[in-house]
Amino acid sequence: MRREQRLADAVVELTDTLVKDFDVTDQVTLLAERCTEFVDVTAAAVMVASGEAGRWTSATAGASADLFDVLTLARLEGPVLGSYRTGEPVGPMGLTGAARRWPAFAAAVQRVGYRQVCSVPIRLREEVLGSVLLLHAEADPMPASEVRLVQTLATAAAIGHVHEREVRGQSLVVTQLQTALHGRVLIEQAKGILATRLDTDVNAAFELMRGHARRHRRRILEVARHVVEKRALPDFPAKRPGHSHAR
């Protein structure tokens, strides 16, 4: 398969997040793998802020050495934090330049055998979700075209992540609205039933249900459901002293 087709497929993979069992860890792992597949780097690490202070979801690809120290320091200093805060790429740069800005981070990178670093933001418009850290064992500068390609992959991942989050949020709102609507319909049905049985108007029937619910410390939906099912106000047992029902 031609490289252009594989790259197009990778972009589709990263944006296709509307699946039942979506997991952000799977997505960041995929992004790290695709970066090492399409760009001439030795290793890639993807770090996405989790929304909690100081918490990140991370994944690596291509690393032959343990990157634990590098990723731990990347949360505190270095190009990952720089691109995350500014929304712009940081680097590429050799370790001499990196050491002047982030000595502890550069030392950790050098210990595991890398000589060049670069970070690009995982960003959709103004929202920055995290960063991709690129590590290279060679000293030759990474071409700007390679950085742009990683930015394309990172943006695709950001689109997928934000889209999934928004759809999930919309689904929750729809569920809440459906629940509220169902409750409203149930109350209206109960008002009509009670008004007919007691030969009164629906407003008086509602006040009767509400008063009954308050006296017995019950939710009005519970009273309305009983009226719809039994055609009468519920006969609740007496409350024990100190016992209350969640409203």
Side-chain angles (χ1 to χ4, degrees), residues 45-189:
V46 178
M47 300 179 65
V48 174
S50 70
E52 301 176 26
R55 298 293 299 274
W56 296 73
T57 299
S58 59
T60 63
S64 58
D66 186 1
L67 294 181
F68 178 79
D69 289 344
V70 173
L71 297 185
T72 299
L73 285 166
R75 294 167 169 82
L76 305 174
E77 65 172 53
V80 166
L81 210 54
S83 61
Y84 176 66
R85 287 174 172 171
T86 65
E88 299 294 336
V90 175
M93 65 178 68
L95 291 189
T96 301
R100 286 195 290 267
R101 300 174 64 178
W102 317 292
F105 173 80
V109 171
Q110 187 174 37
R111 281 196 297 271
V112 289
Y114 300 107
R115 303 173 66 185
Q116 186 182 171
V117 297
C118 180
S119 181
V120 300
I122 303 171
R123 184 188 71 191
L124 179 60
R125 292 184 285 275
E126 301 304 315
E127 183 175 3
V128 183
L129 305 174
S131 296
V132 180
L133 174 65
L134 304 171
L135 301 166
H136 204 13
E138 303 297 328
D140 295 336
M142 186 184 305
S145 59
E146 301 275 81
V147 177
R148 287 195 297 271
L149 195 154
V150 172
Q151 185 65 77
T152 297
L153 294 172
T155 300
I159 291 170
H161 185 86
V162 171
H163 192 196
E164 188 277 336
R165 185 186 64 197
E166 290 180 351
V167 169
R168 178 164 30 92
Q170 290 169 359
S171 177
L172 178 61
V173 170
V174 168
T175 300
Q176 291 171 338
L177 289 174
Q178 288 175 336
T179 300
L181 179 60
H182 176 72
R184 189 70 255 172
V185 169
L186 196 65
I187 290 172
E188 292 300 320
Q189 287 178 327

Side-chain angles (χ1 to χ4, degrees), residues 184 187-188 190-192 194-196 200-211 220:
R184 189 70 255 172
I187 290 172
E188 292 300 320
K191 283 163 57 177
L194 206 57
T196 300
T200 186
D201 61 62
V202 291
N203 290 330
F206 177 72
E207 291 301 325
L208 186 62
M209 286 195 301
R210 184 163 64 176
I220 193 168

